[in-house]
Amino acid sequence: MLKYAVRTFTALFGAALILNGIFMIIFANSTIGSYLTILIGLIFFLPSIFLSRTKKLLAFPLFKLVAVLIALGGLITAVTVAFLFVYGTADNTTYNEDYLIVLGCGLRGESPTEPLRARLDTALEYLDRNNTCRVIVSGGQGNGETITEAEAMRRYLTERGIDNERIIVEDRSTSTSENFKFSNKAADNALAASQTVFVTNDFHIYRAYNLARLQGFTFNHLHADTSWYNIAPCYLREMLAIMKMAVLRY
């Protein structure tokens, strides 16, 4: 009975990941995280459905090694995701900063994607508490975007009551590292000598904070929540981005 329950849970979990990845590809920005979600879903789903064939394959040493490596990879992934979540939700903002940087994320046409809307809504809450802070919206124009991310963010904030005079537009950056570099230039190189906080989604806090440190900035950070259907694609993609940062230092 227990084996049947485990097999059923594994199959359902794998199917859920596959559907999650397909949903993100169709209805959101298609990223490598969405395809990784489908791949991991298949790793759970197929062995549970074709259990007898899986057992036969595991009789061969090569497939045993592959199974061990997959299990080890799964453990590392689970630990990394837990770390990123805990780190990413431990905000250290004082709500007395001089500047707030909203990191760009992605658009569908001219509309912010769900992760970017979450960042902007968090920024609105912050700006309501700290009414003397200036906000830097940072992000250039990517594939499938008809305007820059910075302009879309500016519109979103002004439509919800933020004075345009409080907004600094940085519309050249194409990466997190450039977000900080060009935001500093847009603020007349004042960020290093000012109190600054950046807002991004929980999965992105760790990498963003360390990329800022590589440029000599010690910014505070404030997280925006990640919706449940974005968790797997975004965290998986972020793991690859962290590995890139560790190797290339950007």
Side-chain angles (χ1 to χ4, degrees):
M1 184 66 181
L2 179 60
K3 289 182 179 181
Y4 177 77
V6 171
R7 181 181 179 185
T8 301
F9 172 80
T10 302
L12 291 175
F13 181 68
L17 288 176
I18 294 169
L19 293 174
N20 186 188
I22 294 172
F23 173 85
M24 294 300 295
I25 291 171
I26 296 174
F27 295 105
N29 281 3
S30 177
T31 68
I32 191 171
S34 302
Y35 294 101
L36 285 174
T37 300
I38 295 174
L39 176 62
I40 292 176
L42 289 171
I43 290 173
F44 278 95
F45 182 75
L46 292 178
S48 60
I49 295 298
F50 302 104
L51 186 60
S52 59
R53 293 187 180 181
T54 302
K55 288 180 177 178
K56 290 179 181 178
L57 289 174
L58 290 177
F60 297 93
L62 178 60
F63 285 99
K64 283 184 179 179
L65 176 61
V66 171
V68 170
L69 292 176
I70 289 174
L72 181 60
L75 178 61
I76 293 172
T77 298
V79 171
T80 303
V81 167
F83 168 77
L84 291 178
F85 177 79
V86 172
Y87 190 99
T89 53
D91 300 330
N92 64 356
T93 179
T94 64
Y95 289 96
N96 291 314
E97 287 87 2
D98 304 303
Y99 293 95
L100 167 70
I101 305 173
V102 186
L103 300 181
C105 182
L107 307 175
R108 286 182 66 84
E110 297 184 3
S111 301
T113 54
E114 192 281 331
L116 184 54
R117 289 197 304 273
R119 299 179 190 188
L120 290 166
D121 289 339
T122 301
L124 285 168
E125 293 176 5
Y126 177 94
L127 294 170
D128 184 56
R129 292 183 60 174
N130 181 358
N131 56 24
T132 63
C133 178
R134 298 197 68 187
V135 55
I136 304 173
V137 288
S138 178
Q141 184 173 342
N143 294 330
E145 300 175 347
T146 54
I147 59 174
T148 65
E149 293 169 11
E151 174 59 20
M153 289 189 279
R154 186 196 66 79
R155 294 179 187 179
Y156 191 95
L157 294 177
T158 55
E159 288 169 0
R160 287 156 181 80
I162 301 300
D163 189 338
N164 197 56
E165 294 299 316
R166 292 182 69 185
I167 303 174
I168 298 173
V169 176
E170 183 291 291
D171 58 5
R172 294 191 297 150
S173 57
T174 59
S175 67
T176 303
S177 185
E178 288 184 351
N179 283 146
F180 295 124
K181 176 182 177 181
F182 295 149
S183 289
N184 186 45
K185 289 183 178 180
D188 297 323
N189 298 312
L191 298 188
S194 306
Q195 292 190 31
T196 303
V197 59
F198 68 84
V199 59
T200 187
N201 299 92
D202 44 33
F203 62 85
H204 188 220
I205 291 284
Y206 174 80
R207 181 164 63 94
Y209 177 73
N210 281 280
L211 286 172
R213 288 188 63 189
L214 286 173
Q215 297 186 43
F217 301 120
T218 53
F219 297 150
N220 294 338
H221 48 80
L222 176 64
H223 85 281
D225 292 329
T226 303
S227 58
W228 64 267
Y229 54 85
N230 269 309
I231 289 175
C234 288
Y235 273 89
L236 290 172
R237 179 178 179 273
E238 190 64 15
M239 288 180 62
L240 293 181
I242 289 172
M243 287 188 281
K244 172 188 171 183
M245 178 185 70
V247 174
L248 300 179
R249 309 300 287 174
Y250 70 87

